[in-house]
Amino acid sequence: MCAVFAADMKEQNRLQVYHAIRQTPGQAVTRTEIGRKTGISAPTVLKIFDFFERRGLLVSEGEKNVMDAGRKPSVFRFVPAAALTVGVTYDGHVLEMSLVDLNYQTVKHRRFPLTTDVASMVGETLPRCLPEFTAGAPRILGIGVSLPASVNNAEKRITYQAFPSFRERMSKGSLMPECNALEKRMGVPVLFENDVNCAAIAEYRQLGLGEQDDLIYIMLGGGVGAGLVMDGRLRRGGNFSCGEIGYMVWNADYRGDSRTGYLEDLLYRAPKERYGVDLLRTDVSVPEALVSELADTLAIAIANLSNALDVSRFILGGCVAERLGEQLLQEVNARLFRLCVHDAYLIPACCADGCARGAASLLIQQELDKFLSDRGDPEPDA
C-alpha cells in the first residue's frame, strides 16, 4: 500500500510540475521557480527535471543571467514536440489529419478527398496513411478520431447519426475490430469522439481557458450541433448526444421526425422553401434578408442556452458559418444584447483544423498521466 501511495504521489508531483512549466510565460524555467510555484521540495523537483530531460520534455539552455552573487540557476525550456498526437476527422467526403504537440498546436496537417464508409476509413485508409504521416516523430501518444456522430468511445461504437447527409457512410454500429487492428498496426491507443465536441475542445485550448471556464461551440455545417465545455470539462451526456441542438423546439405545433429537428429545419429547410437557397451549396448567393432571418433563429437558440446554462462565451464554426461571415455574427450579437439575461457574445472559430486538433487534444488529456509515469520508461528515477 505504501509503495502504491508513493508511486501515486510521484506521478501527481510530475503532473503538477508539468502544468506549472507549461503555464509559465515563455515556458523557460528554473528549478527554483518551479519549486516556489508548486511547493514541492527541491530534491523532488530535481528528480522530476531529470526525468523530464530523459523524456525529452526539457532541454537545458545554460545559466540564468542574474545579478545576485553565488551560483547562477540553470534554465530549462519546455519542448512541446517531445511527444505528438495524431488527430483525424472524417465527414464521409474529406479526411483530415493533424499532428499536434503538447501545447495543443498543429505542427503538420494533411487533407484529401475520401469517399468510403467509416469502417474502411479506420481499418484500411488510416493504417495505410499514418505511418508515412507520422514518420520522423519522436514519439506518438495515440490517435484521436473525430466523427459527425454520437460516439461511445469505451465501446468504440457509433450510437446515433443525426445528420441525414452523413448516414450512408456513418451508420450505427461497432468499430471495435477496425480500432483494434489500427491500434496493433500503430502501437498506440485510439480514441473516438463527436466532431463538434472535438472542435469545442480545440477552441477551449486555443483560447487558453481554465478549469472554471465555460464555452459552447456551435457548428453550422451539414447540420447544426453544439459542443459544451462546462467548468473546463466536456459534457457528453448519458446517451453521448449532449449538444444536439438541432432538436431544440419553441413551437408546440411542430411535428418533426428522428431525421431532423425544429432548429435544423429553420436553418436549412426554411431557406430552401422561402428563398430557394441551399446553404450547403457554395455557388448560390445568400440574400441579406435571409441572413437576418437566420440571425433571428440562431440568436433565440443561443439566448436560450445562455439563459439556462449561464454561459456567455459562444463560438461559431462550420462551412455554412464561414460562408455567411461577419454579417451573421454582427446581427446575432445585436440580438443577444436584447435577449440574454447576462452578457453573451458570439465569436468566430479560430482553429482551421478544430475537429482534428480537438481529437488529438483529448487523446493527450487521456494519455498524459501514462506519459509522465514510469510505465514503459527504461530509466525510471529513484
Side-chain angles (χ1 to χ4, degrees), residues 190-308:
V190 175
L191 172 149
F192 289 91
E193 185 55 79
N194 170 263
D195 60 348
V196 189
N197 287 346
C198 290
I201 286 293
E203 297 292 330
Y204 169 83
R205 293 295 185 187
Q206 184 68 21
L207 293 172
L209 302 181
E211 294 181 355
Q212 304 303 316
D213 291 316
D214 302 327
L215 173 153
I216 296 181
Y217 179 99
I218 296 175
M219 181 180 288
L220 295 183
V224 54
L228 283 71
V229 180
M230 310 295 293
D231 294 327
R233 296 176 64 86
L234 184 63
R235 170 68 181 168
R236 294 181 175 88
N239 296 305
F240 304 99
S241 61
C242 180
E244 293 292 351
I245 63 171
Y247 293 94
M248 290 180 70
V249 57
W250 50 84
N251 181 348
D253 295 326
Y254 175 73
R255 295 293 181 267
D257 56 41
S258 61
R259 296 181 65 84
T260 60
Y262 178 74
L263 177 58
E264 194 168 74
D265 280 346
L266 289 181
L267 292 173
Y268 289 93
R269 190 177 68 181
K272 289 183 181 179
E273 294 177 348
R274 289 171 53 80
Y275 293 90
V277 173
D278 183 351
L279 292 176
L280 296 178
R281 291 182 55 182
T282 59
D283 59 346
V284 178
S285 62
V286 181
E288 289 189 7
L290 173 55
V291 177
S292 292
E293 289 186 17
L294 295 172
D296 286 337
T297 300
L298 194 56
I300 292 172
I302 292 174
N304 285 331
L305 290 169
S306 176
N307 293 337

Side-chain angles (χ1 to χ4, degrees), residues 93-111:
H93 303 284
V94 174
L95 180 70
E96 291 188 59
M97 302 184 296
S98 294
L99 268 182
V100 176
D101 66 19
L102 295 173
N103 277 335
Y104 307 101
Q105 298 300 307
T106 300
V107 299
K108 185 178 181 179
H109 180 255
R110 185 184 174 194
R111 184 177 190 271

Side-chain angles (χ1 to χ4, degrees), residues 38-361:
T38 62
I40 298 174
S41 68
T44 300
V45 170
L46 176 61
K47 290 181 180 180
I48 293 172
F49 269 58
D50 288 345
F51 174 83
F52 283 4
E53 281 193 277
R54 293 199 303 274
R55 272 283 191 258
L57 285 167
L58 289 177
V59 60
S60 175
E61 291 195 331
E63 296 180 338
K64 187 173 184 179
N65 187 16
V66 294
M67 300 300 295
D68 298 340
R71 184 176 178 180
K72 293 181 173 59
S74 297
V75 177
F76 298 85
R77 183 171 295 279
F78 182 65
V79 183
L84 301 173
T85 303
V86 181
V88 175
T89 186
Y90 181 57
D91 64 1
H93 303 284
V94 174
L95 180 70
E96 291 188 59
M97 302 184 296
S98 294
L99 268 182
V100 176
D101 66 19
L102 295 173
N103 277 335
Y104 307 101
Q105 298 300 307
T106 300
V107 299
K108 185 178 181 179
H109 180 255
R110 185 184 174 194
R111 184 177 190 271
F112 57 90
L114 181 68
T115 53
T116 187
D117 60 88
V118 67
S120 298
M121 184 275 292
V122 175
E124 299 173 14
T125 307
L126 291 183
R128 186 174 63 251
C129 296
L130 286 180
E132 178 184 356
F133 184 68
T134 60
R139 180 166 182 161
I140 298 296
L141 295 182
I143 303 162
V145 180
S146 155
L147 299 173
S150 298
V151 180
N152 181 337
N153 178 59
E155 299 178 4
K156 302 297 187 285
R157 179 167 55 88
I158 294 178
T159 61
Y160 182 66
Q161 178 47 261
F163 304 152
S165 58
F166 297 146
R167 283 185 178 137
E168 181 181 347
R169 300 189 179 112
M170 299 282 170
S171 57
K172 293 167 61 176
S174 174
L175 296 169
M176 188 67 78
E178 293 80 9
C179 177
N180 289 341
L182 179 58
E183 289 183 336
K184 183 176 180 180
R185 173 73 174 85
M186 298 299 296
V188 295
V190 175
L191 172 149
F192 289 91
E193 185 55 79
N194 170 263
D195 60 348
V196 189
N197 287 346
C198 290
I201 286 293
E203 297 292 330
Y204 169 83
R205 293 295 185 187
Q206 184 68 21
L207 293 172
L209 302 181
E211 294 181 355
Q212 304 303 316
D213 291 316
D214 302 327
L215 173 153
I216 296 181
Y217 179 99
I218 296 175
M219 181 180 288
L220 295 183
V224 54
L228 283 71
V229 180
M230 310 295 293
D231 294 327
R233 296 176 64 86
L234 184 63
R235 170 68 181 168
R236 294 181 175 88
N239 296 305
F240 304 99
S241 61
C242 180
E244 293 292 351
I245 63 171
Y247 293 94
M248 290 180 70
V249 57
W250 50 84
N251 181 348
D253 295 326
Y254 175 73
R255 295 293 181 267
D257 56 41
S258 61
R259 296 181 65 84
T260 60
Y262 178 74
L263 177 58
E264 194 168 74
D265 280 346
L266 289 181
L267 292 173
Y268 289 93
R269 190 177 68 181
K272 289 183 181 179
E273 294 177 348
R274 289 171 53 80
Y275 293 90
V277 173
D278 183 351
L279 292 176
L280 296 178
R281 291 182 55 182
T282 59
D283 59 346
V284 178
S285 62
V286 181
E288 289 189 7
L290 173 55
V291 177
S292 292
E293 289 186 17
L294 295 172
D296 286 337
T297 300
L298 194 56
I300 292 172
I302 292 174
N304 285 331
L305 290 169
S306 176
N307 293 337
L309 300 175
D310 192 16
V311 175
S312 61
R313 186 183 292 106
F314 291 82
I315 296 178
L316 185 64
C319 60
V320 174
E322 293 172 3
R323 183 182 175 202
L324 297 178
E326 188 65 26
Q327 181 187 354
L328 179 65
L329 284 168
Q330 290 180 353
E331 294 206 25
V332 170
N333 280 315
R335 290 156 175 77
L336 292 180
F337 181 77
R338 296 184 288 101
L339 295 172
C340 293
V341 175
H342 304 288
D343 289 342
Y345 57 91
L346 182 67
I347 61 175
C350 59
C351 295
D353 62 336
C355 295
R357 191 192 304 192
S361 300

